[in-house]
Amino acid sequence: EFYFNEKEFENSRTYFMALRDSLGDDIQKIRAQVYIADGYFESFQFNEALGAYLQILGMDPDKNDKYHALFQAAVCSYRLLRIDDGLEYLNQLIEDDLYYDSVGVLKLMVAEGYEYDDDLTLAEETYAEVAASAENKQHQAEAYYRLGLIYQYDYDDLKQAKEYYDKAVSARRGSEAGRQALQKSSDIGKLEKFAKSIDVDSATTQEEIDEMAFTQYLLAELYWLQLNKPDTAILEMQYLVDSFPTAYDAPRAMIALSQMYREHYEDDRAADSILRSMLTRYGRSDYVPEALDILGLRGTVADTGYPAVYFHKAEDFLFEEENYDSARYYYQYVVDSFPDSKLNLQARFNQIWIMEMYESPGDSSVIYAYQEFIDSFAGTPLAMEASRRVQYRPSAKARPQREIDEQGAEEQPTPSDTLATEEAVDTTGYVDPLAALYVGPDEQTLTEITSDPIQIEEPFEFPTQAYTMQDQAIYLYFQILVDFSGKVVDYLLKVRSPIEELNDRASETVASMTFDPLEVSQLVSRFELKPSSDGRGYWLVYKYLVEKPDFLR
């Protein structure tokens, strides 16, 4: 057994054969033979394994050993492409009343054998029989999932495949088959969203063109990665390149198209030709470095003229040479020369950041610059960062309205989204961007709960509106009111994303959470937290991570 567990099957076989042939009693001989057969199987010696499993049948095995021997003999036969023999071994088990409880899984194996034998009609009938009659929900889910695979990949009937996938999910959502079926059903469902007729005319704005092109890119990617239809994927990607030449993602599509040619057609010459064409047509694109890397042209004369070159020059001057004027020059060059680049907004932000961190003008010019940035690019992640950098801490005590009225309108504070209108603002300086998170609704000091919830009633579903989110993952910051049982009874979303649908879904999920009440109690005791003014519980800070699904990364 030691040698077997160490996967030294040949060494283990010497001792098991000694037990089987002379040293062991009847039970030990059978157990030794099972080990011998399993060792051959684990070593991929299926012919020897088959003979060893059949030998067990002549040793008067008990119910379990007989099942194991016949089932594994069927598997070995399938691996050896002796499908009829495998079906015969499985039918021996099906016809034996002792194995009534295993009929579902046995028939699934029979249907799999029919698939190996290219008899899809019998396979479909057998899977349908299991789906209709099996008492085990997991077997039902597996049968429906296999039917979905047949209709998707063999019959190319996505509508019927989705119906079977949905039935698999309904039968046993938590099973492996149910989870796989849910993913495939979701993939097929995306076709209805992505595969829409697209009409571009003179009234179509560039923003609309970019959005339509991105949707087309997702459609091609879906066919390539999820639906296993490479030819269709190539056609859809080519359609993007031909129909949306001005789109931001057009050069990205050409890179993807070249890789499709390289992998599917094994045509390196065509793939490289597409990349070179991309560099010629879109030499100022953000995607140029990726094409250069693939072609091995980094450091050559072709490695220039695109936004990242000048952006990185600015960073080098800033961080390596501490030459702030040159850094600002190259950031401004990106702003002026590459208005469509994703780096354009970052360059604008970095200009203000340099003024804040290194020039320290000593007046409100930094705050005004950030505010102008926020107004111009509202809803973007960098605008959120700018907003946090000019965020003021509310004073501990609200000023009387009468005092504000007497001082005149010009001296009244400007209300913010975290501050009631009548509250005073300490304008002596801004604090760390996240510091205000730790000041609760009742001006009490809060602490963060870092553990995962023990229950979530409304699982988070990534919204389609967030497919274009630039970051792979972002954090949303909440203040949550947790009662004695650990349940979230109220919340405030303090740091939001620019996508409202994502904010709403995350809020629904957080509102449905329950945390370990013992851990909440320990936090309250350790940090001497004060209860909420209404006595319903304690306010805590909770950082919620939102990640892009794998298929969007």
Side-chain angles (χ1 to χ4, degrees):
E1 286 182 329
F2 171 79
Y3 281 127
F4 187 91
N5 292 333
E6 292 295 313
K7 299 189 181 302
E8 296 184 26
F9 302 117
E10 189 171 347
N11 287 334
S12 71
R13 197 175 303 127
T14 301
Y15 295 96
F16 287 133
M17 291 178 69
L19 280 169
R20 182 196 66 184
D21 296 339
S22 59
L23 298 178
D25 58 27
D26 290 343
I27 294 177
Q28 291 172 332
K29 289 179 179 180
I30 293 175
R31 296 308 305 150
Q33 184 62 24
V34 171
Y35 272 118
I36 291 170
D38 288 347
Y40 281 127
F41 186 86
E42 292 293 329
S43 303
F44 304 100
Q45 300 179 64
F46 299 119
N47 196 53
E48 292 81 358
L50 176 59
Y53 284 125
L54 295 179
Q55 191 172 340
I56 296 172
L57 301 177
M59 301 173 70
D60 193 22
D62 63 14
K63 169 187 171 182
N64 292 331
D65 288 333
K66 179 182 177 182
Y67 180 93
H68 180 71
L70 283 171
F71 190 91
Q72 289 297 103
V75 175
C76 290
S77 297
Y78 283 176
R79 302 287 172 85
L80 296 168
L81 299 181
R82 292 157 59 176
I83 308 302
D84 290 340
D85 290 344
L87 294 172
E88 181 182 343
Y89 299 136
L90 292 170
N91 283 322
Q92 288 184 45
L93 293 172
I94 292 172
E95 293 168 2
D96 192 329
D97 293 339
L98 287 173
Y99 305 110
Y100 174 79
D101 291 342
S102 300
V103 167
V105 71
L106 292 171
K107 287 191 174 180
L108 285 173
M109 277 292 292
V110 168
E112 189 176 331
Y114 289 141
E115 284 196 79
Y116 290 145
D117 210 24
D118 289 330
D119 193 338
L120 295 181
T121 301
L122 279 178
E124 183 180 351
E125 291 175 357
T126 308
Y127 284 135
E129 180 185 350
V130 175
S133 61
E135 297 181 3
N136 188 311
K137 294 294 185 181
Q138 187 159 327
H139 295 164
Q140 285 186 1
E142 183 70 28
Y144 281 128
Y145 175 63
R146 297 285 186 85
L147 284 168
L149 293 176
I150 289 175
Y151 272 85
Q152 178 175 347
Y153 295 109
D154 294 300
Y155 298 157
D156 199 21
D157 186 341
L158 295 180
K159 180 179 179 182
Q160 184 62 54
K162 187 177 188 305
E163 290 183 12
Y164 281 128
Y165 289 143
D166 291 340
K167 288 181 178 179
V169 174
S170 298
R172 180 59 67 84
R173 186 187 188 95
S175 66
E176 180 62 25
R179 289 192 292 269
Q180 293 287 342
L182 180 62
Q183 180 63 56
K184 290 188 176 296
S185 176
S186 175
D187 292 337
I188 295 173
K190 292 187 185 81
L191 289 177
E192 298 176 3
K193 173 180 174 58
F194 296 155
K196 295 179 180 179
S197 58
I198 301 173
D199 297 318
V200 179
D201 54 33
S202 58
T204 307
T205 65
Q206 185 59 47
E207 184 177 355
E208 290 172 331
I209 291 174
D210 288 343
E211 183 176 350
M212 288 187 289
F214 180 70
T215 300
Q216 181 67 23
Y217 187 93
L218 292 178
L219 176 63
E221 195 174 54
L222 181 66
Y223 277 120
W224 179 263
L225 296 176
Q226 308 298 127
L227 301 180
N228 194 30
K229 290 183 173 295
D231 291 319
T232 304
I234 290 172
L235 289 175
E236 296 291 349
M237 198 66 79
Q238 186 68 56
Y239 176 79
L240 190 165
V241 172
D242 296 338
S243 302
F244 305 102
T246 64
Y248 178 81
D249 286 306
R252 178 189 182 194
M254 293 187 73
I255 294 174
L257 187 64
S258 74
Q259 295 303 88
M260 290 175 175
Y261 270 85
R262 197 181 306 278
E263 293 181 24
H264 184 56
Y265 296 135
E266 298 182 354
D267 191 341
D268 290 340
R269 180 176 297 179
D272 290 346
S273 176
I274 294 172
L275 287 176
R276 291 191 178 93
S277 175
M278 175 265 179
L279 292 175
T280 301
R281 295 169 61 181
Y282 303 103
R284 295 166 61 83
S285 164
D286 285 338
Y287 294 105
V288 167
E290 187 175 345
L292 294 174
D293 285 337
I294 298 172
L295 291 171
L297 295 177
R298 279 300 187 100
T300 68
V301 293
D303 190 11
T304 188
Y306 54 91
V309 169
Y310 303 101
F311 190 89
H312 292 153
K313 280 186 178 181
E315 290 184 324
D316 290 341
F317 277 118
L318 179 61
F319 297 113
E320 293 184 11
E321 300 182 24
E322 297 185 0
N323 185 335
Y324 311 128
D325 290 337
S326 295
R328 295 189 68 170
Y329 170 82
Y330 281 107
Y331 282 137
Q332 189 62 47
Y333 187 84
V334 173
V335 171
D336 296 337
S337 304
F338 304 100
D340 298 326
S341 170
K342 298 297 185 185
L343 294 173
N344 183 284
L345 199 59
Q346 185 71 61
R348 293 174 184 269
F349 180 89
N350 288 6
Q351 295 243 35
I352 308 173
W353 185 83
I354 290 175
M355 181 167 58
E356 175 195 359
M357 300 301 294
Y358 297 106
E359 298 177 356
S360 302
D363 54 25
S364 301
S365 57
V366 171
I367 294 176
Y368 289 139
Y370 275 133
Q371 191 59 57
E372 183 179 354
F373 184 92
I374 294 166
D375 294 340
S376 301
F377 306 103
T380 64
L382 286 173
M384 292 172 60
E385 174 63 22
S387 179
R388 288 196 290 267
R389 300 189 78 85
V390 298
Q391 185 175 16
Y392 292 103
R393 181 191 295 276
S395 64
K397 184 177 180 180
R399 297 167 60 191
Q401 185 64 41
R402 177 181 54 79
E403 179 183 338
I404 296 175
D405 293 340
E406 290 174 355
Q407 289 183 355
E410 69 278 8
E411 297 183 12
Q412 295 180 24
T414 303
S416 70
D417 57 351
T418 60
L419 192 61
T421 304
E422 69 274 13
E423 290 178 321
V425 176
D426 176 9
T427 58
T428 58
Y430 63 91
V431 297
D432 183 87
L434 299 181
L437 275 173
Y438 295 87
V439 180
D442 303 319
E443 303 299 333
Q444 73 274 48
T445 300
L446 308 184
T447 192
E448 181 180 346
I449 184 168
T450 57
S451 63
D452 294 329
I454 59 176
Q455 182 179 352
I456 300 177
E457 296 179 5
E458 296 289 340
F460 179 78
E461 293 186 6
F462 196 83
T464 56
Q465 293 88 338
Y467 280 4
T468 56
M469 185 175 80
Q470 293 182 7
D471 298 320
Q472 301 298 328
I474 61 172
Y475 280 107
L476 305 183
Y477 290 81
F478 289 83
Q479 289 180 353
I480 56 175
L481 181 60
V482 182
D483 67 9
F484 72 95
S485 68
K487 184 173 179 58
V488 176
V489 295
D490 199 358
Y491 69 89
L492 297 170
L493 177 53
K494 304 298 289 185
V495 178
R496 314 167 65 87
S497 86
I499 304 164
E500 284 307 315
E501 182 65 23
L502 189 147
N503 294 330
D504 292 342
R505 294 198 182 184
S507 297
E508 291 174 2
T509 297
V510 170
S512 73
M513 290 179 175
T514 300
F515 292 85
D516 186 345
L518 178 60
E519 177 163 353
V520 174
S521 176
Q522 290 173 341
L523 285 175
V524 170
S525 174
R526 179 182 176 188
F527 294 99
E528 299 181 352
L529 301 181
K530 297 178 181 179
S532 62
S533 58
D534 57 14
R536 288 191 295 164
Y538 294 87
W539 285 97
L540 298 167
V541 173
Y542 179 63
K543 185 167 64 173
Y544 184 70
L545 176 65
V546 176
E547 295 182 286
K548 269 190 175 182
D550 289 341
F551 70 88
L552 289 177
R553 288 176 177 264

